[in-house]
Amino acid sequence: MNLIFLGPPGAGKGTQAKIIAGRFHIPHISTGDILREAVASGSELGKKVKNIMESGELVPDELMIDIVKERIEKEDCKDGFIFDGFPRTIVQANALDMMLREMDKEIEGAIYFNVAEDEVVKRISARRVCSKCGAVYNLVYSPPRIDGICDKCGGTLYQRDDDKEETVRKRYSVYMEKTVQLLDYYKKQGKLFEVDASKDIEDVKDKIMEIMEKIRGGR
Ligand code: ADP
Ligand code: AMP
């Protein structure tokens, strides 16, 4: 199944994408993770995007489109994928549709995570990520068993550079300016589904599973 998880930063897209991708044995493609790995490795791409990411702005479309094109051509995407954080602009969405068409594929569903700004700011301020395996925690809602240590691999937890409150507000405003239009884009294609992402992780997961059944049934 070829899916997109859409919604503001901090809505819980990555958390759910990890769960759903694991169940359906398809890759979770987070463009934010790909870029953070590039920054951490000090590659040319990483050098180009580091400051942009820290400021909360978007990385240029052409760069993102090239990254995604290369990624979806990989063997592990043959039975589907979940995009988390891509597309983020209409230009990216059009490019994605075009590259999929060339591969004789299409997006089957765009799942919109609906949640208010104050809640995402609250969630992101308490987000911690494992530096070793990328597992995501929340100091309020889903804390690790031992402070600062990943339950899954023992790695050290850190706070993302762009998770400071003022950068989070900036990222939210960029979302409202450039990304929210995608809801209409996928609605017009009859592919938009919505979940109330203010619910707890288990409830949101159940709702997404229902949507997955609907998408599969409509094939
Ligand atoms: P996104 O990928 O949309 O930016 P994340 O999945 O990283 O969001 O979630 C943001 C933060 O909120 C993380 O700390 C995560 O543990 C927490 N979180 C995710 N889903 C929920 C939820 N349903 N309720 C409360 N906290 C959540
Ligand atoms: P995320 O992990 O999805 O919150 O993304 C973190 C940051 O990476 C964003 O604030 C952007 O600077 C950059 N980024 C990730 N995905 C994209 C994308 N599709 N288009 C442009 N910039 C992106």
Side-chain angles (χ1 to χ4, degrees), residues 2-4 65 68-69 72 81 83 86-103 105-107 182 185-186 189:
N2 305 327
L3 301 172
I4 292 170
I65 292 164
V68 163
K69 192 161 185 348
I72 57 171
F81 47 76
F83 271 124
F86 184 91
R88 260 173 152 103
T89 63
I90 296 284
V91 172
Q92 292 180 12
N94 276 317
L96 177 63
D97 276 349
M98 230 153 66
M99 65 178 97
L100 288 174
R101 206 170 306 131
E102 274 170 19
M103 299 168 83
K105 293 181 179 184
E106 62 170 345
I107 292 298
L182 294 183
Y185 181 92
Y186 289 107
Q189 294 190 2

Side-chain angles (χ1 to χ4, degrees), residues 64-77:
M64 297 314 303
I65 292 164
D66 286 348
I67 291 171
V68 163
K69 192 161 185 348
E70 200 183 311
R71 182 65 188 85
I72 57 171
E73 281 169 356
K74 294 210 165 123
E75 176 68 16
D76 65 342
C77 290

Side-chain angles (χ1 to χ4, degrees), residues 8-16 84 119 123-124 126-128 136-138 141-142 160 197-201 204:
K13 303 180 299 295
T15 299
Q16 297 296 334
D84 153 21
E119 177 64 15
R123 285 182 186 180
I124 292 187
R127 171 160 64 188
R128 296 293 182 272
V136 176
Y137 296 85
N138 191 282
Y141 300 106
S142 52
R160 276 170 48 175
S198 68
K199 296 271 171 37
D200 68 30
I201 292 175
V204 177

Side-chain angles (χ1 to χ4, degrees), residues 19-95:
I19 301 173
I20 304 289
R23 293 231 176 154
F24 288 83
H25 308 290
I26 53 178
H28 161 212
I29 305 176
S30 156
T31 44
D33 284 350
I34 294 173
L35 296 171
R36 276 184 291 281
E37 275 162 28
V39 172
S41 75
S43 68
E44 278 309 308
L45 171 66
K47 285 182 201 146
K48 270 191 212 156
V49 302
K50 186 172 189 290
N51 291 339
I52 303 175
M53 291 175 76
E54 274 173 17
S55 71
E57 294 286 355
L58 294 186
V59 168
D61 287 333
E62 317 82 71
L63 263 183
M64 297 314 303
I65 292 164
D66 286 348
I67 291 171
V68 163
K69 192 161 185 348
E70 200 183 311
R71 182 65 188 85
I72 57 171
E73 281 169 356
K74 294 210 165 123
E75 176 68 16
D76 65 342
C77 290
K78 69 179 191 331
D79 295 328
F81 47 76
I82 300 177
F83 271 124
D84 153 21
F86 184 91
R88 260 173 152 103
T89 63
I90 296 284
V91 172
Q92 292 180 12
N94 276 317

